[in-house]
Amino acid sequence: MIKRMLALDGVMAVVLFRDDGAFLEGYGLIDESLMKEMASFAHDYKRLVQSNADQLSMFTQISAWTPPKGWIVRGRKYTVCSFGNLVSLATNDEANLNEIMAELSDLASY
């Protein structure tokens, strides 16, 4: 089911990981070892974003900050997008991040 992400322009890989960061499945134009690294990175970054949102919520007394639903990290050539336990790698010059995040959101709800 997550393979449909590859139909979006610029998406190079999509990975599903468990709550502990373990790789479950992945598809795309990169090696499985890199997909496993993507899963680990996404898990760690998700926890970092969650802790920052928790602190912001605690200091502002506004609960709307947490839980964060997704995040994007943009590099010079590639962007990593994540929502729930899904993460994708996309090229900056071809990808539409709004489409990618919408599709990730939809897939994460299953």
Side-chain angles (χ1 to χ4, degrees):
M1 169 125 57
I2 67 172
K3 274 186 186 180
R4 74 182 195 197
M5 284 291 302
L6 297 175
L8 297 177
D9 290 338
V11 174
M12 296 181 57
V14 60
V15 172
L16 176 65
F17 58 95
R18 289 191 327 210
D19 286 336
D20 65 358
F23 174 84
L24 285 176
E25 64 178 306
Y27 305 97
L29 306 173
I30 62 175
D31 294 333
E32 187 173 315
S33 63
L34 291 175
M35 290 185 196
K36 289 178 180 179
E37 288 181 31
M38 273 180 55
S40 178
F41 167 76
H43 170 261
D44 293 347
Y45 201 83
K46 178 181 174 182
R47 293 188 66 194
L48 180 67
V49 169
Q50 179 66 54
S51 67
N52 287 339
D54 288 344
Q55 287 179 352
L56 187 59
S57 181
M58 181 179 66
F59 290 130
T60 63
Q61 298 299 309
I62 300 171
S63 62
W65 301 105
T66 190
K69 293 186 167 85
W71 51 264
I72 297 172
V73 175
R74 187 174 176 95
R76 192 177 317 160
K77 292 174 64 175
Y78 303 104
T79 298
V80 178
C81 302
S82 184
F83 199 101
N85 286 3
L86 289 167
V87 61
S88 69
L89 177 68
T91 59
N92 290 343
D93 56 345
E94 297 177 30
N96 180 329
L97 299 183
N98 289 330
E99 281 183 4
I100 292 172
M101 290 303 286
E103 189 69 20
L104 287 172
S105 172
D106 186 45
L107 289 170
S109 66
Y110 290 108

